[in-house]
Amino acid sequence: MQMLNASVTDKANFYQGLNPYDLIETYGSPLYVYNERILKEKCNQLKNLSTYKNFSVHFSAKANSNLALLQIIRGQGLCVDAMSPGEIYIEQKAGFTNDQIFFVCNNISAEEMQYAIDRDILLCVDSTAQLEQYGSLNPGGAVSIRINPGVGAGHHEKVVTAGKNTKFGILPEQIPSCKEILAKHQLRLVGINQHIGSLFMEPEAYLAGVNVLFDIARHFDNLEFIDCGGGFGINYQKQTTDNTLDLAALGDELTKMFEQFAATYNPKIKFKIEPGRFPVAECGVLLGTVHAVKYNADKKYIGTDIGFNALVRPVMYDAHHDIEVYRKGDQRSEKTEAVTVVGNICESGDILAKDRMLPEIFEGDMVGVLDAGAYGHVMSSNYNNRLRPAEVLIRENGECVLIRKRDTIEQLAENFISIE
């Protein structure tokens, strides 16, 4: 088998000797493939980010909530965030204890709040209205609040989660109102949280947000923790750049900030981070098959079975994913050319990569969409009544195991109710 422009997976030894074609033949196309060793390496990088003694890492399960991956992440010593009762449920199934789960909620119902309260899971609310609702449900309880520090960052406007143009967080000027609600319901504020956005590669905005959060923390007595949020970025263009987030420098700076704040507030205060996609993004590749090669006018299209029902990031966020090409036979690619790689959804916007320089691609080739471990399968759908892909895991010993079954066509109708 030929592995074209596959320097990224070769360097990482991603497939560990397994043949992508064999994987597709066994589990179907398209197919999400994860590497356990890479996932563990990323978890350990984060766990060792700071030498501050009361430091912990909370994985944001919204990036990837596959049960098996959550079990690995728990085994590496990370805690976990939840955004819904459904995420709480699957996290408990993965073995996380209630005190390891942090429910960072947004505009949730009283019923959803009660779900967490009944399980003694700490909530983080992000509006005075939600704080009032929580106080009515659980007077005298412990709670945390999400602060909008006024600083945002991210690769696209849809992932910037702080600053002026976002729905998230309590503004600093609303702190007096928060204190009134806390007193009214005798709530105990145990922590504050921020999240400025997703996929930052330079730490300045993040550190600025942490500084603002520390200033706000001094408005409250007896906080048990400060959650600095995250959104740590990864390089999605490894084939052409070597730009990476300098974790060592970021960790050193955070440790200094933690120690300085703790020295003047409470030497036992805990600090948390929410690194977002960082643990899982690079451990996943989405495999797909090329079924058509065609020209429209002067543009060459590579038609694959990876529609945006399987990977929506390029359509939703204009996101870039590097693409590798795999070939079963010995036919040679005589050139590198600009092509537009598309999926099988009946939408003109169903584009994986636009005007991308790739080796000449033929029908029957496979493509590997890199760094698909975060916000990939978890955002997939049955649009066009397409089947969501299976997910498999390459274990550290090289064994490949199924960790989520591919949808069946019968499942498409199982929740419908016929009127005939």
Side-chain angles (χ1 to χ4, degrees), residues 135 138-142 180-189:
N138 194 33
E180 291 177 5
I181 298 169
L182 291 168
K184 174 183 174 182
H185 297 287
Q186 298 182 314
L187 296 174
R188 184 165 56 93
L189 185 70

XYZ file of all heavy atoms in Angstrom, residues 135 138-142 180-189:
117
model
N -30.283 28.860 43.288
C -30.565 29.153 44.687
C -31.946 28.713 45.105
O -32.145 28.233 46.228
N -31.663 24.808 45.397
C -30.710 24.221 46.348
C -30.222 25.256 47.351
O -29.031 25.546 47.422
C -29.534 23.601 45.584
C -28.694 22.685 46.445
O -29.209 22.027 47.350
N -27.405 22.624 46.162
N -31.112 25.877 48.130
C -30.688 26.891 49.093
C -29.673 26.325 50.075
O -29.809 25.192 50.542
C -31.998 27.288 49.785
C -32.942 26.160 49.529
C -32.565 25.608 48.198
N -28.640 27.129 50.331
C -27.584 26.691 51.237
C -26.521 25.842 50.576
O -25.556 25.435 51.232
N -26.669 25.584 49.273
C -25.725 24.710 48.582
C -24.463 25.413 48.122
O -24.340 26.635 48.172
N -23.511 24.612 47.657
C -22.271 25.129 47.078
C -22.467 25.344 45.585
O -23.171 24.581 44.918
C -21.124 24.159 47.326
N -25.724 39.514 46.103
C -27.072 39.611 46.659
C -27.804 38.282 46.554
O -28.482 37.845 47.498
C -27.854 40.708 45.935
C -27.371 42.122 46.215
C -28.126 43.158 45.409
O -29.094 42.777 44.710
O -27.737 44.339 45.446
N -27.688 37.624 45.410
C -28.366 36.335 45.212
C -27.752 35.274 46.114
O -28.476 34.452 46.712
C -28.296 35.917 43.733
C -29.021 36.944 42.852
C -28.900 34.529 43.536
C -28.790 36.758 41.365
N -26.430 35.281 46.229
C -25.763 34.322 47.112
C -26.265 34.474 48.541
O -26.567 33.477 49.223
C -24.246 34.527 47.060
C -23.541 34.158 45.745
C -22.114 34.697 45.743
C -23.525 32.646 45.530
N -26.355 35.724 48.996
C -26.829 35.965 50.367
C -28.292 35.596 50.531
O -28.696 35.011 51.550
C -26.593 37.434 50.726
N -29.097 35.917 49.538
C -30.537 35.650 49.593
C -30.820 34.163 49.813
O -31.724 33.793 50.581
C -31.181 36.133 48.291
C -32.650 35.788 48.138
C -33.151 36.244 46.778
C -34.583 35.804 46.516
N -35.048 36.226 45.164
N -30.053 33.309 49.125
C -30.298 31.870 49.200
C -29.274 31.150 50.080
O -29.252 29.911 50.086
C -30.292 31.269 47.792
C -31.379 31.787 46.905
N -32.695 31.433 47.052
C -31.336 32.665 45.857
C -33.427 32.039 46.125
N -32.635 32.800 45.392
N -28.450 31.939 50.780
C -27.415 31.370 51.653
C -26.527 30.377 50.911
O -26.150 29.321 51.444
C -28.054 30.718 52.884
C -28.827 31.688 53.766
C -29.409 31.034 54.998
O -30.009 29.954 54.924
N -29.240 31.662 56.149
N -26.214 30.710 49.653
C -25.345 29.868 48.845
C -23.884 30.089 49.221
O -23.482 31.187 49.608
C -25.547 30.169 47.362
C -26.931 29.867 46.789
C -27.030 30.364 45.353
C -27.231 28.372 46.853
N -23.110 29.055 49.056
C -21.672 29.130 49.332
C -20.919 29.102 48.011
O -20.930 28.095 47.306
C -21.264 27.941 50.217
C -19.811 27.964 50.660
C -19.597 26.973 51.805
N -20.010 25.630 51.437
C -19.188 24.707 50.932
N -17.908 24.996 50.707
N -19.645 23.499 50.633
N -20.287 30.234 47.676
C -19.524 30.310 46.434
C -18.160 29.682 46.667
O -17.335 30.213 47.417
C -19.361 31.757 45.981
C -18.676 31.932 44.616
C -19.588 31.460 43.491
C -18.262 33.388 44.393
